[in-house]
Amino acid sequence: MSDTKKPMPSASTTLALLRRFWVFAATHKRWLGLGLSMIPLVAAMSTLRPLMVKYAVDDLIPAHDMVGLRVLSLGFMVAVMAEFLCQAVQVYALQRAGHTTISDVRRKVFNHVIHLPNRFFDKNALGSLLTRTTSDVEALSETLSFGVFMILTDVVMILSILGAMLWLSPWLTLITLTVAPVLFILVRYVGAVLRRLQLEVRKAQAAQTGFLAEQLAGVTVVQLFGREKAAHDEYQRLGQRYLSATKTANWFDALLYAVMDGISAFSVALLIYFASPSVLTEGGAVTLGLLFAFVDYLQRIFIPVKEFSGKLATIQRAAASLERIYGLLDEPTEAAVEPGEENPLVPWKGGLKVRDLKFAYGEDGPDVLKGLSFDVAPGEVVAVVGRTGSGKSSLGRVLTQFYTGYRGSIEMETPDGGLELRDIKPSHVRKHLLMVQQDVFLFQDSVAYNICLGEDDLACDPDRMMDALELVQARKLIDERGGLAFEVGERGGNLSQGETQLLAFARVAARQPTLLILDEATASVDSITEQKVQHAIEKLLEGRSVLVIAHRLSTVRRADKIMVLSKGEIAEMGSHDELMAKGGLYAELYTMGFEEDDPDEG
Amino acid sequence: MGSTRRFLSRYVAPNLPPYGLGWVMLFATNWVVVRIPAIVGEALTILEERGPQALAGTRSLATELLVLGAVVIVVRSLSRVLFFNPGRRVEYQVGVDVFGHLLSLQRPFYMKRKVGELVSIASNDTTSVRLLVGFAALQVCNVAVAIPLHLYQMAVTDWQLTLWCLIPVAFGAVYMQFTVRKFFGMVRDSMQMLARVSDRILEIYSGIGTVRSHAAEAAAFERFDLRNREYLDLQLRIARVRAFSMPVLGFSGLVGTGIVLWVGSMQVVDDGMPVGNLATFTALLMSLVGNLTALAWVLAAVSRGVVSWGRIDELLETPPALPDERSPLQLDAPPKLELRALSFQYPDGDEPALHDIDITVEPGKTLGIFGKTGSGKTTLVEVLTRVHTPPEGTVFVDGIDARDVPLADFRDAMAVVPQSPFLFSTTLRENIRLQGANPYKAAADASTTEAMPDARLDEVLTAACLWDDVEQLPNGLDTVVGERGVMLSGGQRQRAALARALYRSRPLLLLDDILSAVDQGTEARMVSAIRQLRGGVAGSMAPTTIIVSHRTSVLEHADEIVVLADGRIVERGTHVELLAKGGEYAETHDHQGGEGA
């Protein structure tokens, strides 16, 4: 997924996105409203101050009205204080609304992603999903807190000042603001060039850093082959590219910044030049105090303009992020379970009736299961064997509803009759039907958490967990390391492969599923742990229906029934002895030791 | 401190000319910035007095203002560029020095540091340093010039008023001192917390299969939301500080202008102070406060920059810890390799990884090293290739102690295929050839190199059984592979790495477990091709070869095979002899041989 290569969304798309976004923001509209309502107050206070000065200069000072001046000055202080408080409330309220909204968005995205069907995770890289949940949401946050609200504040302030200026003297306003269009054009042009340059800068920097990361990752190879100088030269070359890009950008940045100082001086110069005659005329339209006010306004009106175009760019980037986030939120999730909904599988004892099961991964993909029909009795252990590509892994995935869309019938037998698998919600199914694979994932948390996965029903009971560990012969192991509270390292880093396998089995034992699907794929563990693993598997096979994708001879021998799959169909079925006697596919697989084919295949 | 001295002399000193000129520009800028309100005040006073030359006076002042406006644009731009560009140059130089140094550091260093951390030092920390000597330096120098000039102009206009209006500003500045540090501390914490939220999200996404197969989504959400809520709480605390504390300095400036109004208007009425001074003062005060606020924000950049330089300096001062170079080495012919009572322990290992290894490999012969995972075979290869420095008197090449040889010479004498094949983000062709001044500029040079036929390349591609794979690639040999290109399978990578070593064609050849991801049929072809290639290059002898494997079929034709277990040699002999002995080697051979033809 090359997100960076998509074009920026258009203005209409942006508006549509923002409208949709309102749903999130609306939850916090009280804070939002408070913040927004402060904006005109702040602008009013700020605009009022020069008018007070005007009054002082034009009326109070010439009249030598000391009392009046004192009162006015106090009023001025009050206005300053009020402005400070209102602005503080405004900033806090808007930030609060912004941050809580973003927090909600992040929760929504996360919750949505963890309920997406497996197919989605197959097609999308983890990195891309992470970016959407984090960086894109962060980009929104920036825009909200600093982009949108700032623009609003600035616009109101500019309008307020403009209003005051026009009220005082329309023609002076016109004269002094002749510099404004020049400013706009300059800022737009230089701003656009600058943004383009900054993009180049970012790309050059990414190239240099990417190169560095790669070289360091393979530093041994670089050193063994004596490529240090070549690598260093290339890094310098990339660095030079980055450097010259930034130097060019710096000129434009400096110009843009410096223009603000100049523009303000220009407009004041125009003001003085053109207003002087009127001021000097007795009873002229322009008073000295008015000039005072104008000088103040002119020094403030241009400041927000410079930030403007930059903020627009931020909003555009946020729109792109928003688009990606909604793209994710629009993906359909698995059917959710309503709170309080009953699980129809509670009376299920593990009996399965599969008739003519067909399944393909994609809509137009080939069938990997081509019409399987078999039964599993409650408490029966069925071993499934076959070569890679025979469909044995797919069988497990269909049964746990990780992939939907099977054809044919899978009936779970209950006293009330058979329940079709596709009619039951996946969450309900998974409470009673568990699949365990070789690839064990462990959280960086306590052993207890890793066994019960944070659910507060039966599985989290410490006694139950200890019993589970006991069952799989991992109890001593865990006790030696400090018991249930022992912290498992990142991805199980501080445990050996065999030990993580035992923990996975403990998870199953704690849950006591009605039907277990066990994928036994070989792992290279030392013989002591291998014994423990085998023993644990033995224990897990007791007292429930099991479908085991077998690789160990011991497991196969233990099974009540063996199903041999070949190219998506059942080739042979029976007990070990029966099948050996046949001397067919099973016998062949048995002699080869059920080894997986070589990993070099695509 | 040595660290500061190093920084100043190595990186700042070369940039003194632009900094010096920048200083001059800053002075000019601030002189103009301070002059402008003075002129405005003057003009307003003239207008108040309404003298005979008033209009001419104000108009000439207005013109002066216009000119100053133009001047300030020029000098302000220049001052920024003259500070920012040196900052960038420093960033470049530091980055280059860091990378160069990293390339000279050996494996013991890399065992202790994570790549991610090192990348961060070379990129994020250099950025902080750049901000220190660019942006922060500009602001600090600006303020150093601005404040005296502002205060001077204010005092010259009216020193009493100056003192009055500075009172609130002084309070504000002190308050800011405390607040800013706290604020930036909180911002740093919030960034760390965001990283934690991100980690948590990644963890759960990575284990989504487990979560969902156990129907534990609700619990997973709680797990995430805990951190999410923590982050939100911190953000709200920061918002409070940002809203109520950070604007205090600006607010104190406004209070100051209120005082200017109060005191100043009195003075105008009572003492006949020119009214224009009010405008001058207000403008100067706001400008001064603006500068102080900029300073506060800059302090954070300064402290970050200093900390970053500390990390960089520590890295640059880390010695490569290599033994003295006493005996240069130039191998014209395949050497004799000897290991005498080699015992080796990792720098922070509890016990030796290799015990008492005695091996002699005559020139041009092949040694096979056999062992299970953890037997020490990779350690042995790493010592032989001096990825880890061998102890004195243990490894000899043509009778010379390997330790005494300059590392560059030593590495130049061998072609190695390490255990996990690493491909660079360039074309497959250049990954194998590693030729030319710049193998990474492959894309641009592809057109030129394509034209030249390379018999050697063809040979090694055959030996490594890569032709079929090359055909399947979109651009054949010119396909860009590696992280940013086409991802090759494990087997393809191994064979490409083998081709690379064969292409290099050196008197010493070391192959570490290179055929593990290859199926038996391909393996057999490659083994025989390696043998042929070794002896087949026109006019040269076969290199002294060491092959490491846990598959006996690979080692069949070695002149001698040593079997390692727990870092010791437990068996040795030829393939036939070892089979006869019936030990570990023979056992494994039976087991592996039993698998399909």
Side-chain angles (χ1 to χ4, degrees):
Chain A
M1 275 199 168
S2 51
D3 298 313
T4 45
K5 300 206 180 107
K6 267 168 80 172
M8 289 290 198
S10 66
S12 56
T13 330
T14 311
L15 279 174
L17 287 168
L18 289 176
R19 225 173 293 142
R20 205 173 150 185
F21 184 71
W22 174 249
V23 173
F24 285 110
T27 334
H28 306 282
K29 50 178 191 269
R30 286 221 317 262
W31 283 106
L32 196 60
L34 179 64
L36 291 175
S37 64
M38 289 291 129
I39 295 179
L41 283 178
V42 170
M45 294 293 133
S46 180
T47 315
L48 195 60
R49 284 186 279 111
L51 293 176
M52 290 172 139
V53 173
K54 171 184 183 296
Y55 182 60
V57 170
D58 281 343
D59 300 315
L60 298 176
I61 291 181
H64 292 250
D65 184 351
M66 300 297 262
V67 171
L69 280 171
R70 287 206 176 95
V71 168
L72 183 76
S73 302
L74 277 177
F76 188 92
M77 295 295 209
V78 168
V80 165
M81 193 82 61
E83 185 183 340
F84 173 73
L85 285 174
C86 287
Q87 185 152 55
V89 169
Q90 171 204 319
V91 170
Y92 181 71
L94 290 177
Q95 291 259 304
R96 194 181 165 116
H99 286 306
T100 41
T101 305
I102 291 304
S103 178
D104 286 347
V105 172
R106 201 180 292 118
R107 292 165 95 221
K108 178 108 197 219
V109 172
F110 180 79
N111 200 37
H112 191 87
V113 170
I114 61 177
H115 283 94
L116 286 172
N118 249 63
R119 282 181 217 261
F120 189 82
F121 284 89
D122 290 343
K123 283 189 293 186
N124 294 287
L126 218 54
S128 167
L129 284 175
L130 184 67
T131 310
R132 259 147 235 236
T133 321
T134 53
S135 317
D136 280 331
V137 174
E138 279 314 295
L140 272 183
S141 176
E142 288 274 318
T143 304
L144 217 53
S145 314
F146 300 108
V148 174
F149 298 144
M150 294 265 111
I151 288 192
L152 218 54
T153 316
D154 290 342
V155 166
V156 172
M157 184 68 79
I158 291 179
L159 289 177
S160 171
I161 293 179
L162 204 56
M165 283 168 77
L166 284 169
W167 178 68
L168 288 176
S169 167
W171 74 274
L172 266 185
T173 310
L174 210 61
I175 292 177
T176 50
L177 291 185
T178 47
V179 294
V182 175
L183 177 66
F184 279 129
I185 295 171
L186 199 64
V187 165
R188 236 188 104 111
Y189 170 71
V190 174
V193 170
L194 185 61
R195 265 195 304 286
R196 216 174 359 98
L197 287 172
Q198 280 169 341
L199 193 64
E200 285 306 308
V201 167
R202 273 200 295 275
K203 287 211 294 225
Q205 186 181 30
Q208 194 193 23
T209 310
F211 177 78
L212 172 79
E214 182 192 71
Q215 294 302 301
L216 286 182
V219 69
T220 305
V221 174
V222 172
Q223 288 171 337
L224 283 174
F225 283 81
R227 306 309 298 169
E228 289 101 327
K229 179 157 188 319
H232 195 233
D233 288 344
E234 175 66 8
Y235 189 71
Q236 277 191 292
R237 186 187 75 87
L238 290 169
Q240 285 287 355
R241 231 179 64 189
Y242 173 45
L243 181 62
S244 46
T246 61
K247 290 211 276 214
T248 317
N250 276 347
W251 277 103
F252 282 90
D253 175 76
L255 186 64
L256 203 56
Y257 192 88
V259 155
M260 298 319 303
D261 282 327
I263 287 288
S264 161
F266 290 153
S267 59
V268 172
L270 284 174
L271 174 75
I272 294 178
Y273 194 92
F274 286 103
S276 306
S278 181
V279 174
L280 290 170
T281 325
E282 211 42 66
V286 181
T287 63
L288 190 63
L290 194 147
L291 225 52
F292 264 78
F294 252 74
V295 165
D296 193 315
Y297 287 140
L298 284 173
Q299 281 168 343
R300 282 194 281 149
I301 197 171
F302 294 111
I303 297 174
V305 175
K306 184 182 67 159
E307 324 279 315
F308 213 78
S309 43
K311 301 223 176 93
L312 278 179
T314 321
I315 293 190
Q316 258 196 315
R317 273 201 298 275
S321 289
L322 203 53
E323 207 172 24
R324 282 196 289 270
I325 290 177
Y326 279 120
L328 196 55
L329 290 177
D330 287 338
E331 290 279 346
T333 57
E334 279 186 339
V337 167
E338 312 299 323
E341 205 180 323
E342 263 189 44
N343 190 335
L345 283 181
V346 170
W348 184 48
K349 294 276 182 279
L352 271 186
K353 218 159 74 175
V354 178
R355 295 287 174 266
D356 200 31
L357 173 63
K358 296 198 176 86
F359 175 72
Y361 277 106
E363 277 193 352
D364 16 297
D367 275 352
V368 294
L369 297 176
K370 297 185 183 148
L372 301 181
S373 300
F374 62 92
D375 289 342
V376 178
E380 195 179 16
V381 175
V382 178
V384 180
V385 298
R387 289 216 158 86
T388 329
S390 57
K392 41 189 218 278
S393 314
S394 311
L395 184 56
R397 294 186 195 132
V398 170
L399 284 173
T400 49
Q401 288 223 30
F402 270 116
Y403 289 88
T404 52
Y406 68 83
R407 285 156 281 141
S409 153
I410 301 177
E411 254 184 32
M412 338 261 295
E413 301 186 309
T414 65
D416 302 326
L419 293 170
E420 185 60 42
L421 180 67
R422 64 168 74 85
D423 296 333
I424 313 175
K425 299 232 172 100
S427 291
H428 284 155
V429 172
R430 293 180 198 138
K431 290 273 185 220
H432 295 272
L433 193 157
L434 200 58
M435 177 154 88
V436 178
Q437 293 173 293
Q438 187 218 343
D439 202 4
V440 181
F441 185 85
L442 291 177
F443 291 96
Q444 196 173 353
D445 208 315
S446 65
V447 168
Y449 182 85
N450 271 292
I451 294 180
C452 73
L453 293 180
E455 294 185 276
D456 45 5
D457 60 356
L458 316 156
C460 268
D461 173 30
D463 290 326
R464 186 153 158 156
M465 287 196 279
M466 286 311 247
D467 288 341
L469 285 169
E470 179 88 49
L471 192 76
V472 301
Q473 287 198 325
R475 180 167 183 157
K476 205 170 81 122
L477 194 74
I478 297 301
D479 276 340
E480 270 170 25
R481 292 170 197 246
L484 287 175
F486 170 67
E487 286 277 321
V488 175
E490 198 177 336
R491 309 290 189 89
N494 53 357
L495 295 173
S496 75
Q497 211 165 5
E499 288 166 346
T500 56
Q501 190 81 64
L502 292 178
L503 263 189
F505 290 151
R507 260 186 207 150
V508 176
R511 267 184 173 61
Q512 299 175 3
T514 317
L515 186 122
L516 172 66
I517 302 177
L518 177 62
D519 188 338
E520 244 195 358
T522 49
S524 48
V525 294
D526 63 85
S527 40
I528 300 176
T529 317
E530 174 62 27
Q531 262 183 16
K532 285 198 183 170
V533 167
Q534 270 190 12
H535 180 266
I537 294 177
E538 289 278 318
K539 286 287 177 190
L540 291 178
L541 295 183
E542 291 168 14
R544 57 176 58 87
S545 307
V546 182
L547 210 64
V548 50
I549 301 167
H551 285 279
R552 291 185 172 78
L553 271 54
S554 55
T555 315
V556 166
R557 283 171 176 271
R558 161 78 177 75
D560 298 316
K561 190 155 77 189
I562 300 168
M563 208 161 71
V564 183
L565 291 184
S566 175
K567 297 200 177 62
E569 291 175 326
I570 300 179
E572 295 170 7
M573 187 140 73
S575 74
H576 170 79
D577 296 317
E578 287 168 18
L579 293 176
M580 284 306 284
K582 268 201 191 145
L585 187 56
Y586 178 79
E588 201 186 309
L589 287 169
Y590 181 79
T591 10
M592 297 231 325
F594 301 116
E595 287 284 320
E596 280 291 310
D597 291 334
D598 81 273
D600 198 21
E601 282 187 356
Chain B
M1 266 184 300
S3 167
T4 319
R5 198 177 30 83
R6 274 191 291 271
F7 181 68
L8 291 174
S9 64
R10 220 184 287 167
Y11 300 108
V12 176
N15 287 302
L16 279 180
Y19 279 135
L21 201 58
W23 250 94
V24 171
M25 288 300 140
L26 272 182
F27 195 84
T29 308
N30 280 292
W31 185 85
V32 170
V33 163
V34 153
R35 184 95 189 92
I36 288 174
I39 291 178
V40 171
E42 248 179 86
L44 289 171
T45 307
I46 291 178
L47 287 172
E48 190 207 17
E49 287 165 5
R50 293 172 181 213
Q53 294 296 330
L55 189 60
T58 55
R59 285 202 158 160
S60 83
L61 284 175
T63 318
E64 195 181 333
L65 209 52
L66 213 59
V67 169
L68 284 182
V71 169
V72 88
I73 293 180
V74 171
V75 293
R76 172 87 75 188
S77 310
L78 282 174
S79 73
R80 280 177 85 88
V81 170
L82 286 166
F83 270 84
F84 286 172
N85 282 356
R88 290 284 180 177
R89 270 196 290 276
V90 168
E91 181 187 27
Y92 164 79
Q93 197 57 56
V94 172
V96 160
D97 287 349
V98 166
F99 186 54
H101 190 75
L102 282 174
L103 288 173
S104 75
L105 296 173
Q106 301 298 312
R107 177 63 73 82
F109 171 81
Y110 286 99
M111 282 172 79
K112 287 187 290 208
R113 308 288 285 262
K114 288 200 254 201
V115 168
E117 197 192 317
L118 296 172
V119 172
S120 176
I121 292 181
S123 51
N124 297 333
D125 282 327
T126 52
T127 300
S128 295
V129 169
R130 182 241 308 165
L131 290 173
L132 173 67
V133 292
F135 175 73
L138 172 70
Q139 296 296 344
V140 168
C141 293
N142 187 47
V143 166
V145 172
I147 293 187
L149 280 177
H150 277 78
L151 290 176
Y152 172 73
Q153 184 67 54
M154 284 165 82
V156 150
T157 312
D158 188 324
W159 65 270
Q160 279 174 321
L161 199 51
T162 307
L163 287 175
W164 274 108
C165 68
L166 282 183
I167 295 172
V169 174
F171 276 115
V174 167
Y175 180 82
M176 274 302 268
Q177 261 279 67
F178 294 127
T179 314
V180 163
R181 215 163 304 176
K182 180 169 98 163
F183 179 73
F184 282 111
M186 286 167 88
V187 169
R188 221 182 5 253
D189 287 344
S190 94
M191 277 169 28
Q192 277 174 356
M193 194 155 298
L194 186 61
R196 280 161 49 94
V197 172
S198 189
D199 279 344
R200 198 35 79 80
I201 294 175
L202 183 61
E203 183 194 55
I204 294 176
Y205 283 2
S206 304
I208 194 70
T210 305
V211 169
R212 295 176 63 242
S213 53
H214 290 78
E217 289 96 339
F221 182 79
E222 254 318 297
R223 191 174 166 77
F224 148 81
D225 206 29
L226 202 68
R227 293 232 177 131
N228 193 39
R229 277 199 301 270
E230 265 179 12
Y231 180 63
L232 178 62
D233 287 338
L234 183 57
Q235 292 285 79
L236 292 182
R237 283 208 308 273
I238 293 177
R240 246 198 314 274
V241 173
R242 187 178 270 138
F244 290 95
S245 297
M246 297 304 280
V248 164
L249 185 56
F251 169 61
S252 69
L254 286 178
V255 170
T257 57
I259 292 181
V260 165
L261 188 61
W262 177 295
V263 175
S265 55
M266 299 295 170
Q267 283 187 311
V268 171
V269 173
D270 292 338
D271 311 326
M273 182 184 84
V275 74
N277 285 5
L278 291 179
T280 306
F281 252 85
T282 309
L284 284 173
L285 189 63
M286 293 320 292
S287 178
L288 178 69
V289 166
N291 278 307
L292 286 174
T293 313
L295 187 64
W297 285 87
V298 147
L299 287 179
V302 169
S303 76
R304 262 203 305 276
V306 168
V307 168
S308 287
W309 169 250
R311 275 199 288 268
I312 293 174
D313 192 50
E314 189 203 338
L315 186 62
L316 288 175
E317 293 295 299
T318 310
L322 289 172
D324 297 326
E325 301 177 351
R326 284 189 280 238
S327 331
L329 185 73
Q330 189 86 354
L331 291 181
D332 302 312
K336 172 167 149 172
L337 199 60
E338 285 171 86
L339 304 177
R340 301 181 199 160
L342 167 64
S343 289
F344 176 77
Q345 189 165 343
Y346 281 106
D348 26 299
D350 305 318
E351 15 162 277
L354 295 173
H355 299 264
D356 235 13
I357 308 281
D358 270 293
I359 301 175
T360 304
V361 188
E362 297 297 332
K365 298 288 182 204
T366 306
L367 172 76
I369 302 180
F370 174 85
K372 291 206 166 67
T373 329
S375 58
K377 36 189 222 293
T378 301
T379 312
L380 185 54
V381 173
E382 286 184 344
V383 170
L384 283 174
T385 52
R386 279 190 67 183
V387 168
H388 286 284
T389 312
E392 193 144 358
T394 51
V395 178
F396 292 87
V397 177
D398 271 348
I400 305 172
D401 192 333
R403 268 177 80 102
D404 297 337
V405 177
L407 194 55
D409 286 353
F410 189 80
R411 297 236 168 102
D412 200 49
M414 56 178 62
V416 183
V417 185
Q419 211 180 15
S420 19
F422 184 83
L423 293 182
F424 299 104
S425 291
T426 178
T427 63
L428 183 58
R429 186 196 301 274
E430 286 314 310
N431 259 293
I432 295 174
R433 286 163 28 123
L434 285 186
Q435 296 277 315
N438 211 334
Y440 310 102
K441 272 174 68 187
D445 298 337
S447 46
T448 43
T449 52
E450 222 181 282
M452 299 189 292
D454 193 339
R456 182 108 188 114
L457 182 62
D458 295 340
E459 273 181 340
V460 303
L461 285 174
T462 313
C465 301
L466 270 176
W467 279 115
D468 289 337
D469 306 88
V470 167
E471 249 144 65
Q472 284 179 16
L473 292 175
N475 291 328
L477 279 173
D478 293 306
T479 315
V480 174
V481 296
E483 283 268 316
R484 282 177 276 137
V486 172
M487 285 304 284
L488 300 179
S489 76
Q492 286 171 327
R493 288 208 304 275
Q494 274 191 340
R495 284 176 276 135
L498 175 63
R500 183 196 276 161
L502 291 174
Y503 187 88
R504 192 168 154 87
S505 182
R506 292 291 200 271
L508 263 174
L509 180 63
L510 286 106
L511 309 171
D512 188 354
D513 217 354
I514 49 157
L515 299 173
S516 61
V518 168
D519 67 78
Q520 285 190 303
T522 316
E523 181 192 278
R525 292 200 330 264
M526 284 170 72
V527 166
S528 74
I530 294 172
R531 291 183 56 224
Q532 281 184 327
L533 198 66
R534 290 183 345 104
V537 178
S540 62
M541 241 183 91
T544 310
T545 310
I546 300 181
I547 305 187
V548 176
S549 186
H550 63 273
R551 303 255 276 260
T552 57
S553 45
V554 175
L555 304 175
E556 231 177 314
H557 302 283
D559 296 302
E560 188 190 5
I561 302 171
V562 295
V563 177
L564 284 184
D566 287 325
R568 275 175 239 268
I569 300 182
V570 293
E571 289 171 21
R572 62 201 308 165
T574 64
H575 179 81
V576 175
E577 286 167 14
L578 289 174
L579 286 183
K581 280 191 188 160
E584 194 178 319
Y585 187 85
E587 243 183 71
T588 316
H589 180 81
D590 288 335
H591 183 65
Q592 287 175 352
E595 297 164 15

